[in-house]
Structure formats: structure tokens, C-alpha cells
Amino acid sequence: SQTIHQWPATLVQPVGSPLSLECTVEGTSNPNLYWYRQAAGRGLQLLFYSVGIGQISSEVPQNLSASRPQDRQFILSSKKLLLSDSGFYLCAWSPGHSRETQYFGPGTRLLVL
Amino acid sequence: AQKVTQAQTEISVVEKEDVTLDCVYETRDTTYYLFWYKQPPSGELVFLIRRNSFDEQNEISGRYSWNFQKSTSSFNFTITASQVVDSAVYFCALDYTGGFKTIFGAGTRLFVKA
């Protein structure tokens, strides 16, 4: 069966510091991968999605970036965090080459102070 | 434009009551998929159901049931005999032909009191 991991689970970072959140998927090959952000008490905002290694589509212009160095690894980064980057970050995967259900990881709670 | 509206921000019920969560969607596509996800306090989104636009049959899974009506562009979710463990935020979502993107509604927070 497939599983999706995210770490860290929680993170407190000062404004201006860098960020690296990692997401990995097990038990599948060539998945579509997604990064979402959920601000406190709000819905999900799609940040990035990837259909393959090195292929990243950005949905919202911001100071965040994403990379996919390996088939089942998706990384969310920032060079300098802003207060507004605080939120709950969710990674999701869906079977590649099809429009299937997205399955979500446990999420990372980021607080920027 | 693609859009999902969950007009109910919060609902509070007493255990064993039935509750319906509303979802209205907008899309010009004839082929699309609708989803419901549950987000318990732990934060992880749990997939509940996926329905394609050509299948208007209602579905029942235990205490959960879904009513899909294309005529009103609605995909409502009913929990029968609610339980405290049903307390969560529920999201309705739309996946349309335009790509590998899913549009989520703002969510409905359900409180079930003992």
C-alpha cells in the first residue's frame, strides 16, 4: 500500500530564515505530487504540483519554491521566510498520468515569528 | 470559472442528530470529479468519496451518504446519527478537465456535542 510522509511535523522559524519541508511517497511510481497551504481556519490553497522529476508548476507567485529531485520526493523551500508564510503545509499525491483522487500526508505546521 | 462553495462555515449538532453539509460547484466542463475529504483535529485530510460527473447515483457508506444532483450543481453530504468522532472540518472539492488541479471549498467545521 502507498504511504506519504512529511517532516518535520512542526516547525518554528524566525522571519528571514530559510525553509525546507520534505515529502516522500512510498509504494507507488511516478506519482503526481502537490503542495498545499492552509492558513488558520481557512481552506486549501494549491502552491505547486509536479507530474515528474524536475517538472514543477507554480500556482501562486510567492517567495516559496518547490523541487522534485527524485521520483517520490517533493521539497518545499524558501530562502527567506515571511510572517505570512505561517500555516499548515500539506503534501499530497495522486497516481500519475490520470486524474485520480489525491491522498494527503500528515502535514507540517509552520509558525514564523 | 471553476468554483466550490460551502456556504456553511460551522455547524453544531448534538450526538445522534442527522446533519447535512452542503456543497455547490461551478464548472463548464462536462467531465469532472467531485470529492469529500474529512480533516480531523490532527490535520491530515482523509479521503471520503469520489464521484464522476456521469454518475448521479446517490451513495451510502455506513452512516455517510452523498446526494449528487447535476441539475442544481450540488453534492451534499449527510451524516446520520452523528457521533463525537465526526467532529472535523469537511471539504468538498472539484477536479476538472483543465489539468491536475483540484479546487477545494472553504470547508465546513462540524461540532458534534455529546
Side-chain angles (χ1 to χ4, degrees):
Chain A
S1 64
Q2 300 85 11
T3 55
I4 179 169
H5 304 280
Q6 286 186 246
W7 63 89
T10 59
L11 192 59
V12 181
Q13 290 285 93
V15 169
S17 64
L19 174 74
S20 181
L21 302 182
E22 189 165 344
C23 170
T24 59
V25 182
E26 295 177 356
T28 186
S29 296
N30 196 30
N32 299 321
L33 296 172
Y34 310 81
W35 277 113
Y36 289 87
R37 177 169 59 200
Q38 185 179 25
R42 302 185 69 178
L44 278 74
Q45 179 186 38
L46 178 64
L47 302 175
F48 302 95
Y49 68 94
S50 170
V51 300
I53 296 174
Q55 301 178 62
I56 308 294
S57 295
S58 174
E59 290 297 298
V60 183
Q62 58 212 315
N63 70 318
L64 298 171
S65 62
S67 62
R68 186 170 175 174
Q70 300 180 44
D71 181 46
R72 289 167 288 178
Q73 184 184 32
F74 204 24
I75 296 172
L76 183 69
S77 304
S78 173
K79 292 182 180 178
K80 287 185 178 181
L81 283 168
L82 306 172
L83 286 174
S84 57
D85 291 324
S86 293
F88 188 50
Y89 289 82
L90 286 156
C91 181
W93 76 274
S94 67
H97 304 295
S98 67
R99 293 167 53 219
E100 292 283 345
T101 302
Q102 292 181 30
Y103 298 94
F104 287 79
T108 295
R109 297 192 184 278
L110 172 65
L111 178 60
V112 182
L113 300 176
Chain B
Q2 327 293 335
K3 188 178 178 182
V4 176
T5 301
Q6 295 181 255
Q8 304 151 308
T9 305
E10 289 187 1
I11 301 176
S12 183
V13 299
V14 177
E15 209 170 18
K16 298 184 182 177
E17 283 185 15
D18 298 348
V19 58
T20 295
L21 310 181
D22 297 332
C23 173
V24 174
Y25 63 93
E26 294 177 29
T27 180
R28 293 179 183 165
D29 291 349
T30 55
T31 302
Y32 52 90
Y33 297 83
L34 295 165
F35 303 83
W36 276 96
Y37 286 87
K38 174 182 180 180
Q39 186 178 39
S42 61
E44 179 176 349
L45 264 75
V46 177
F47 165 72
L48 295 178
I49 189 172
R50 173 178 183 254
R51 172 69 76 222
N52 75 55
S53 53
F54 299 108
D55 182 1
E56 285 193 75
Q57 271 194 330
N58 292 331
E59 180 151 342
I60 298 175
S61 176
R63 296 184 297 106
Y64 295 171
S65 62
W66 291 269
N67 185 333
F68 176 28
Q69 292 194 336
K70 289 178 75 171
S71 60
T72 56
S73 297
S74 64
F75 186 41
N76 296 337
F77 173 30
T78 297
I79 302 174
T80 303
S82 58
Q83 300 176 2
V84 172
V85 293
D86 295 328
S87 297
V89 180
Y90 291 86
F91 290 97
C92 180
L94 165 70
D95 181 356
Y96 59 100
T97 311
F100 296 95
K101 293 177 272 190
T102 300
I103 305 297
F104 283 82
T108 296
R109 184 176 296 275
L110 174 65
F111 294 99
V112 181
K113 295 178 281 190

